[in-house]
Amino acid sequence: MAWFRKERKPRTSSRERLEIPPDAWDKCDECGLVDLREKFDRALQVCPQCGFHRRIGARRYIDILTDPGSFTELFQELRSVDPLGFEGYAERVARAYREVGPQEAVITGHGTLTGVPLHVAAMEFAFLGGSMASVVGEKITRAATRALERRTALVIVSASG
């Protein structure tokens, strides 16, 4: 009895399918909210649902604190050494350079904030937990001295473990 069966035509959607890249989403570590990464970025890594503050890196702090394109990094040539010969320290520092980049546990420099000159020292927790090795102290001291000589503000973002 073929004449009782209805012939089915394939349906085509009238709506256009949006392709959202998988890296466009982010998840809150505290409450599990999944939302667009752009929303977390606009909120400075604060969850819009529960208010959980996620860790921000030193470069991001500098972007937040200085006018676009005004920041100049200082004292990049300073590198950690191991004068006391701690066991495994050299390997840990080498791994931190590979994972985090060429920076140390603190990034120092100068720029402007709404046109006003200032010096910034932002610690990078991802580099050995922002540990206060000799280079961190030296860079902060040099930034403070330079700010004092030029009579500008010094903003220090501490993120040490």
Side-chain angles (χ1 to χ4, degrees), residues 93-146:
V93 170
R95 185 176 61 235
Y97 282 131
R98 281 192 309 274
E99 292 174 2
V100 178
Q103 67 204 36
E104 268 289 332
V106 69
I107 299 172
T108 54
H110 63 91
T112 60
L113 175 61
T114 63
V116 178
L118 82 152
H119 284 75
V120 179
M123 297 185 75
E124 179 60 69
F125 188 83
F127 192 95
L128 298 176
S131 63
M132 288 282 293
S134 61
V135 172
V136 172
E138 183 66 24
K139 286 176 105 174
I140 290 174
T141 301
R142 287 185 185 189
T145 303
R146 193 172 192 280

Side-chain angles (χ1 to χ4, degrees), residues 77-86 89-90 93 97 104 133-135:
E77 71 284 354
L78 296 177
R79 294 285 177 250
S80 290
V81 294
D82 187 16
L84 300 177
F86 288 117
Y89 184 75
V93 170
Y97 282 131
E104 268 289 332
S134 61
V135 172

Side-chain angles (χ1 to χ4, degrees), residues 2-48:
W3 31 285
F4 285 114
R5 292 190 192 155
K6 187 175 183 179
E7 226 179 278
R8 295 185 184 235
K9 295 179 184 175
R11 288 178 148 192
T12 57
S13 175
S14 60
R15 290 185 350 178
E16 185 179 326
R17 232 187 125 102
L18 296 175
E19 290 296 324
I20 299 174
D23 64 341
W25 300 99
D26 219 339
K27 183 177 179 181
C28 176
D29 299 331
E30 188 70 17
C31 70
L33 171 75
V34 177
D35 209 340
L36 290 172
R37 176 167 288 162
E38 181 181 309
K39 283 189 179 181
F40 282 100
D41 287 341
R42 274 186 281 147
L44 302 176
Q45 299 303 321
V46 177
C47 176

